[in-house]
Amino acid sequence: KALQAYQKFLYNEAKDLVASHPRNTTGNSKIEDWRLFCTKEKAIYNILNQCEEGMILRVNVWYPTAEEAQIKGILKSESDLTPDSSGAVLNADRPPKHAMPPTYIRTNEYTEAFQEVVDTYGIPRYQEANPALFATVTFPFIFGMMYGDIGHGMILLLAGLYLVHNAESLRFTQPVLFMARYMLLSMGIFATFAGFMYNDFFSISLQLFP
């Protein structure tokens, strides 16, 4: 009886951790809220650890010149929300003469995954050409030529469509699949196209284009 009671207790605790809040049945589970909270706190302390201590926290950062006005506007609006605090201020300063700025590559939801692939080989230096622009086409195209099959390509295409359609539900639960959804979709499109060119359907030769 003691063992059964202990097992029932563990079952109820686990059920409570993975269940949604009664007032928000479509929201996150309790354990997912804890994970997001820990991730947020870790990100905050990671930024604070880069600051110089004192009466005022000071940190040196690089930022795009084109976004200077936007950054100042955000800092001002956030400072206005807490009038009792000193707020945050951006003081622009010229970098040293021979300083090498870090590489900042603007990406969107489509190009982000391809940029990650290029970055595994090396990050372009400041003002160098970014090969990820070409990889957004050449990478799925070469994959399609290698994986060309109507059946297999359609499976990959449908998987990509599913990930794109359910992207918001994967944003925090499966961040890798969320980032790679458009890459999988592109690979499925090119693989299906190549499959029609090869007249292959699950490795069975067809005579679609004799």
Side-chain angles (χ1 to χ4, degrees), residues 154-169:
M154 286 297 295
I155 292 176
L156 195 60
L157 176 60
L158 292 175
L161 289 174
Y162 174 82
L163 295 177
V164 171
H165 184 265
N166 299 277
E168 289 304 318
S169 62

Side-chain angles (χ1 to χ4, degrees), residues 135-194:
T136 56
V137 177
T138 58
F139 183 86
F141 174 77
I142 295 175
F143 175 86
M145 297 299 101
M146 175 195 68
Y147 195 71
D149 186 282
I150 299 173
H152 295 108
M154 286 297 295
I155 292 176
L156 195 60
L157 176 60
L158 292 175
L161 289 174
Y162 174 82
L163 295 177
V164 171
H165 184 265
N166 299 277
E168 289 304 318
S169 62
L170 302 171
R171 183 183 294 272
F172 300 109
T173 57
Q174 298 291 335
V176 176
L177 291 178
F178 174 81
M179 183 179 64
R181 65 193 189 281
Y182 286 114
M183 177 183 286
L184 292 176
L185 179 63
S186 300
M187 291 161 60
I189 293 173
F190 280 99
T192 304
F193 171 78

Side-chain angles (χ1 to χ4, degrees), residues 59-77:
V59 60
N60 295 322
V61 298
W62 293 91
Y63 61 89
T65 305
E67 298 181 5
E68 180 175 345
Q70 181 183 0
I71 296 173
K72 289 183 177 180
I74 293 174
L75 294 178
K76 184 179 184 304
S77 61

Side-chain angles (χ1 to χ4, degrees), residues 14-168:
K15 184 178 180 180
D16 179 63
L17 288 176
V18 299
S20 302
H21 195 279
R23 297 181 181 177
N24 185 14
T25 56
T26 60
N28 295 326
S29 62
K30 182 183 294 185
I31 194 170
E32 178 64 13
D33 284 337
W34 290 351
R35 187 187 71 83
L36 293 175
F37 173 80
C38 292
T39 302
K40 181 179 179 181
E41 290 295 307
K42 181 180 178 181
I44 293 174
Y45 279 100
N46 182 47
I47 296 299
L48 291 177
N49 288 335
Q50 300 179 24
C51 299
E52 299 178 5
E53 296 184 2
M55 295 298 296
I56 298 177
L57 294 177
R58 181 176 179 271
V59 60
N60 295 322
V61 298
W62 293 91
Y63 61 89
T65 305
E67 298 181 5
E68 180 175 345
Q70 181 183 0
I71 296 173
K72 289 183 177 180
I74 293 174
L75 294 178
K76 184 179 184 304
S77 61
E78 292 295 327
S79 300
D80 293 340
L81 295 177
T82 54
D84 297 335
S85 63
S86 58
V89 179
L90 175 66
N91 292 323
D93 191 12
R94 292 184 178 181
K97 185 176 181 180
H98 299 289
M100 176 61 69
T103 303
Y104 173 70
I105 300 174
R106 196 184 305 275
T107 60
N108 53 38
E109 292 187 349
Y110 183 81
T111 61
E112 183 180 9
F114 297 100
Q115 187 64 57
E116 288 291 329
V117 173
V118 172
D119 289 347
T120 59
Y121 293 93
I123 300 176
R125 290 186 297 178
Y126 181 65
Q127 291 186 339
E128 277 190 343
N130 181 21
L133 179 63
F134 305 98
T136 56
V137 177
T138 58
F139 183 86
F141 174 77
I142 295 175
F143 175 86
M145 297 299 101
M146 175 195 68
Y147 195 71
D149 186 282
I150 299 173
H152 295 108
M154 286 297 295
I155 292 176
L156 195 60
L157 176 60
L158 292 175
L161 289 174
Y162 174 82
L163 295 177
V164 171
H165 184 265
N166 299 277
E168 289 304 318

